[in-house]
Structure formats: C-alpha cells, structure tokens
Amino acid sequence: MHPEIEVLLDHAETRFLKNEELAIFKRYAATLAQRLKVYEFLRDKEVAIFQPIANQLQEAFPQEKQENLERSLTHWILAMRHCAMAMLLNDEGFLKQRLEEWLSGIVKAHQSQQIETTIWKLLQARLKEILSEPALAIAQPFLDQISKILVTGNG
C-alpha cells in the first residue's frame, strides 16, 4: 500500500482525517479501479506481451547463447510482475526495494547490457501497441524504474 495512505490510516485510528488528508485518500481511491484494470490486463496478457519480444530477441542476437537470452527475458518478466504489483499499490518504493534486493548487480555480472536495452525497447514498443494511452500512463513511472535498474544498472 502507498506509504502516504498507510500514514493516513494510522492517523485515522485516533482521529478523523483532516480535509487535506481526505483529499489524498480520495485521489488514491479514485485511481485504484484504473490501476486494477491495468494490473489484470498485464497479468492476463503476459504471454502475448513477451512472446513477440522473445522471438525478436532471438533474431536480434542470433549468436548469443540461448540461456543468456532466456535469463534476461526471465528477469524482465519477473520485474514486470513486480512492476504491476507496485503500480496496483501505487508504491514506487515497493518496486525499488524488490528489484534492488533481487537484481542488484545482475546485469553487470552477466554483462548483458545490450540484451537488457533491447528488451526494454521491445517491451516499450509492445506495450504501446497493446495498452491504451491512459493505461500506459499509469504504468510508465513503474516501467521507467525497471529500466533504471535493468538497463542502466542504477536504482
């Protein structure tokens, strides 16, 4: 859950929320249905999103070992799942913590920068094809966070 909402819930245990606090809660609640729809779409279309990327990746790196391509693609699939959950929770801190715990240094260790960059570009193009503009706008800040970790190696 979004940290700001958690604080509001803590305050609500001892008093009614102030108007400013209630406005924050209303904004969070108003976007929850949209975020849930995007989450469900990403969950239900995972194969449709990543299969074309896998195919294009093999074409782009014909000399690369299959296991290296699969490892990078698996990282992106798992990162995308974490991204979807962070988007649903509306909590970028959740995503950053999860990805840094798990992916910190992996790209550098496997020297897969070019593969990661290619997957990122293919994923961006694929999501633009299948997501509506409002849905993409909801997911994009979280997708950008994945990119920072997997493509640039920065959190």
Side-chain angles (χ1 to χ4, degrees):
M1 182 175 296
H2 194 279
E4 203 170 1
I5 299 302
E6 286 184 48
V7 170
L8 292 177
L9 293 175
D10 288 343
H11 290 319
E13 289 180 9
T14 59
R15 62 174 172 78
F16 282 107
L17 298 176
K18 297 174 186 173
N19 286 339
E20 313 85 56
E21 295 169 327
L22 198 52
I24 292 168
F25 199 85
K26 284 179 182 178
R27 279 195 307 272
Y28 180 83
T31 63
L32 183 58
Q34 295 168 312
R35 289 183 278 119
L36 186 57
K37 284 181 183 179
V38 176
Y39 177 89
E40 289 174 328
F41 182 86
L42 293 172
R43 180 199 64 197
D44 295 345
K45 300 293 183 187
E46 183 179 63
V47 172
I49 292 168
F50 281 101
Q51 188 59 58
I53 293 170
N55 297 342
Q56 291 172 306
L57 200 58
Q58 287 180 319
E59 292 172 18
F61 296 96
Q63 306 302 329
E64 189 68 45
K65 289 182 181 179
Q66 185 69 25
E67 67 187 50
N68 293 341
L69 297 177
E70 288 175 4
R71 179 179 39 249
S72 290
L73 194 60
T74 298
H75 293 156
W76 277 93
I77 291 168
L78 296 174
M80 186 68 175
R81 290 175 185 168
H82 282 82
C83 173
M85 180 54 71
M87 179 207 54
L88 181 60
L89 297 171
N90 198 24
D91 186 354
E92 290 182 23
F94 170 87
L95 182 61
K96 183 176 168 97
Q97 177 189 3
R98 295 293 169 104
L99 293 183
E100 284 181 349
E101 285 175 2
W102 159 59
L103 286 175
S104 183
I106 285 180
V107 174
K108 290 178 185 173
H110 291 290
Q111 299 178 350
S112 58
Q113 190 77 25
Q114 191 175 9
I115 297 169
E116 306 299 338
T117 301
T118 300
I119 294 172
W120 169 242
K121 289 176 183 175
L122 293 171
L123 179 61
Q124 282 291 101
R126 184 71 181 132
L127 291 176
K128 284 179 184 175
E129 289 174 11
I130 65 172
L131 283 175
S132 67
E133 282 189 39
L136 188 58
I138 290 170
Q140 195 64 53
F142 301 95
L143 294 166
D144 290 343
Q145 200 171 2
I146 295 174
S147 170
K148 287 178 187 173
I149 292 170
L150 285 174
V151 174
T152 66
N154 301 333

